Every structure is written in C-alpha cells, then in structure tokens.
Amino acid sequence: MQRYESLPPQFYLQDLAAITGRVCELRVNPHQAEADRAARSWFNQISLYNDRKKSKFINYGKFDLFATLSFPDADCAHLATCIMFFFWAFSVHKLVLIHTDDLSDEGDLQSKPDAVQAGHDISVSVYTNPDGSRPQYPYAAMLYDLLSRFRETSTIGAYDRQAFEAWSSSQVTQSRNRSQDRMPSVDEFILMRRATIGGALVEAMIEYSLDLDLPDVVFENPIIKAMSDATTDLMTWPNDLCSFNKEQSDGDYQNLVFCIMHERDVGLQEAINILTDMLNQRVDDYVELKSQLPSFGADVDAELERYLHALENFVQGTVLWYYLSPRYFRGVDVTNRENLVVPLFEKGAF
C-alpha cells in the first residue's frame, strides 16, 4: 500500500455524534461503578494478560464508560455482563491484530491467520455445545462464562440471533485480508464491517440487557432488517473515521476511508468528506425506514419500541465513546468536536 505512505499532516472531522444524534438519544446508566467492579473481578480471574498488560487493557479501554453510555437502562447485573462482553470482544480483536501485525515473511503470512482460525474453531464449539465443559483456552473460557450469564435470562430467540459464528468468521476473513494486503471494494467492505463490528451480537446484547421478548417474525421483517443494517452502519462508519488515524499509524489499511481512497482515487480529506456525507444519508435512510414500521400487535409493538430506543441509545453511546476513549484521539482535545483538526500520527506511534 505504498500510495498511502504519504498522507497530509492533518485532516478534519465533522462532529459525528451530532450527525447520529439527529435520531439517536444519548443517556447514561447510573450503575457504572458497581457493575465495573463486578466485571473487573471476573476478568482478573482470566489467565489472559500479566498484571501490567491487564491494567493497561482495562484502564486504557474505558469499557465501563462504553457500556454505561451504550446500555443506559440495564440493571447492575446486566450492565456487568455488558462490560464483560466488551472485555471479551476487544480481547479477541486484539488477538486478531497480534496475529496479523509485523508479518515479516511468507510463512507468517500464511500461518498467522490460521492461528486466528484455530481460536475461532475452539470458540464456535463453546457456542454450539453449551452443555460442554469450560475450556482452558482463555478467550473461549470468557465466551463460555458470557454465554452462561446470557442464557440465565435471555430468550431462546435472542441467543440464536447472536450470530456468533458469522462474527467470528468475519474476524478470520479480515485477518487474511490484512495478511495478504488486500483492499476490498467499498461495497464489499461495508458488508464485511457489519459482520466484524458484531452488529448481530450487539443487538442480542441489547435484547439481553433489558430482558426483551421479541418473536422471530419481527427480525425476519424486511423493514427491521434494513433498519438493523442502517444502525450498524451508523456505529461502524464513525468508527472507521475515528480509528483511521490509529490504523494508518499501525500500517493497517482495512478501513473504509482507505477503501474509498482506493476505489474513487481521491485524497484523504475528500474520502473523509465522502464518508461523512454517506453517514448523513444513512441517518436519513433510518428515519425513512422507521416511518415505514409495520405493526405486530400492541404487545409486540411496545417491546419493539423499547428495543429500537435501546438500539439508538447504543449507537449514540458508541459514537461518543469513540471520542472519549484514548484509543483514537490520543493527545487531541475533543472538547469541541465541530470541524475537529486531527494531526496525523506518526508511523508506529501506538
């Protein structure tokens, strides 16, 4: 990806939270501290990182803040599970990056994604065989604990809708794209990112967080499916805009901004502007889809309204967390997000 080695010294971002905020409300859960203590106690028992790395992972990630902004109506026990979910999901994401970073020879290019595949296979067995014993592999052990808590109160439908295998498979696909230095088309990348961000997992966690009971027929409806794609894009595209700086610094080109630059043969700022316009249009798409919601009967409609409101809360909380987490804007003042000037990070800055 030599053409991306020379980028401008800075770029500009519009206030992405203001764009999604046109339809998504921001709210805060009051149980953050208590739920975080419970989640940390669980994570500290997982043999994943040494004490220094574990502390950095937890404190740097601000996953308690992420969950607090994204699941505002969950009770303390459910919020703790949501924080645990983020610990697990970001640990797996970190594993994928470890296995595809610093690939120095052809052997690495082929063996590293296979290591991700092996972890995927172990974890899928946990999901498909819930009565099996708790595995030793730490990532799978975390998933085992999460699914056990999930099954305590969730509906069968919510459990089945997690689409864990599709999400895990998408991590393997993205790992191979990174290792092979392959640039997908914009349309292909959008579809892949809906999977890699775990849209179905998020939606199932939202159902779990409020113990919602929605029949399968709701999620099979084409309007609901289209709304699901829209909300997933509303949380994914801001991620690619906010994470671009970190990823270019890491030499990671699996980002929608890079895909637009490559496919449309445009510079960085123009690609960012194009994606920002796409985000605005996606908000309009969601508004139009919501106006077409069918009725499933009074009781189901009431549950669906709670679900959609919670999904919108999640989107807005997630977009704000992108700014507040030090993952993406290290050393950048994000107090005023309107026309934010973002200095380009040096290569290997993270």
Side-chain angles (χ1 to χ4, degrees):
M1 294 298 172
Q2 295 242 336
R3 63 167 295 187
Y4 304 126
E5 291 301 313
S6 178
L7 293 169
Q10 63 186 31
F11 58 91
Y12 300 86
L13 282 181
Q14 295 183 34
D15 186 348
L16 307 175
I19 296 173
T20 55
R22 292 200 283 122
V23 290
C24 299
E25 180 187 12
L26 179 67
R27 296 172 57 243
V28 179
N29 193 302
H31 303 297
Q32 178 177 353
E34 184 179 356
D36 185 44
R37 283 194 294 271
R40 286 183 184 229
S41 177
W42 167 78
F43 190 67
N44 285 333
Q45 298 172 31
I46 305 295
S47 301
L48 193 59
Y49 307 124
N50 60 36
D51 289 343
R52 184 182 64 81
K53 288 184 177 179
K54 186 179 296 184
S55 177
K56 180 181 179 181
F57 174 77
I58 292 177
N59 295 321
Y60 184 72
K62 294 189 176 181
F63 303 118
D64 57 324
L65 176 64
F66 192 179
T68 294
L69 295 173
S70 302
F71 299 97
D73 291 319
D75 63 25
C76 186
H78 284 73
L79 184 63
T81 305
C82 294
I83 298 172
M84 293 162 60
F85 167 73
F86 286 144
F87 285 166
W88 166 75
F90 279 88
S91 294
V92 172
H93 179 67
K94 186 177 180 67
L95 173 69
V96 172
L97 293 180
I98 288 172
H99 280 308
T100 53
D101 278 349
D102 301 323
L103 302 180
S104 57
D105 57 49
E106 188 173 344
D108 276 336
L109 289 178
Q110 300 190 8
S111 67
K112 296 292 187 176
D114 289 345
V116 179
Q117 177 71 57
H120 159 79
D121 293 341
I122 296 170
S123 296
V124 166
S125 69
V126 172
Y127 178 74
T128 57
N129 184 25
D131 296 325
S133 58
R134 188 175 188 267
Q136 294 295 315
Y137 184 62
Y139 301 94
M142 293 169 74
L143 179 61
Y144 180 94
D145 292 346
L146 276 171
L147 293 178
S148 296
R149 291 174 69 99
F150 194 96
R151 286 192 300 269
E152 288 176 2
T153 62
S154 76
T155 63
I156 294 175
Y159 185 83
D160 291 341
R161 276 189 289 276
Q162 290 181 81
F164 165 76
E165 188 166 0
W167 174 79
S168 188
S169 294
S170 72
Q171 301 298 312
V172 178
T173 300
Q174 186 158 301
S175 170
R176 293 195 185 281
N177 283 344
R178 285 192 177 102
S179 69
Q180 296 167 6
D181 205 16
R182 178 178 178 272
M183 182 65 71
S185 70
V186 169
D187 288 344
E188 180 188 357
F189 191 80
I190 286 172
L191 291 175
M192 185 179 69
R193 281 292 277 135
R194 288 176 186 165
T196 58
I197 206 167
L201 284 171
V202 164
E203 291 169 352
M205 287 302 297
I206 288 169
E207 285 188 78
Y208 161 82
S209 72
L210 298 177
D211 287 334
L212 296 173
D213 187 5
L214 286 164
D216 292 343
V217 66
V218 171
F219 296 94
E220 293 164 358
N221 182 275
I223 296 296
I224 300 298
K225 287 182 177 180
M227 292 177 70
S228 171
D229 288 344
T231 51
T232 301
D233 293 342
L234 291 183
M235 71 178 84
T236 304
W237 297 354
N239 179 269
D240 280 45
L241 286 163
C242 291
S243 68
F244 169 83
N245 205 7
K246 178 184 184 304
E247 289 170 359
Q248 67 79 26
S249 174
D250 292 338
D252 179 3
Y253 304 107
Q254 292 295 302
N255 183 292
L256 188 50
V257 175
F258 277 124
C259 290
I260 293 171
M261 291 174 67
H262 178 78
E263 185 169 293
R264 301 203 185 185
D265 194 24
V266 296
L268 172 58
Q269 189 61 57
E270 187 172 353
I272 287 173
N273 295 343
I274 289 170
L275 184 50
T276 304
D277 289 343
M278 289 168 57
L279 181 65
N280 265 301
Q281 180 58 55
R282 211 66 180 109
V283 171
D284 292 340
D285 294 344
Y286 180 77
V287 171
E288 177 61 25
L289 288 165
K290 196 171 183 180
S291 73
Q292 302 173 37
L293 268 178
S295 175
F296 300 92
D299 291 343
V300 174
D301 288 352
E303 283 288 89
L304 179 58
E305 183 178 2
R306 292 180 66 208
Y307 168 77
L308 291 175
H309 190 217
L311 185 55
E312 292 163 3
N313 290 157
F314 186 94
V315 169
Q316 194 64 7
T318 298
V319 174
L320 182 60
W321 177 79
Y322 295 152
Y323 286 98
L324 300 180
S325 168
R327 293 171 62 85
Y328 306 132
F329 293 98
R330 181 186 296 179
V332 178
D333 183 2
V334 296
T335 305
N336 181 5
R337 295 187 297 272
E338 186 174 354
N339 293 319
L340 185 66
V341 180
V342 184
L344 199 74
F345 294 136
E346 295 180 0
K347 297 295 181 183
F350 281 78

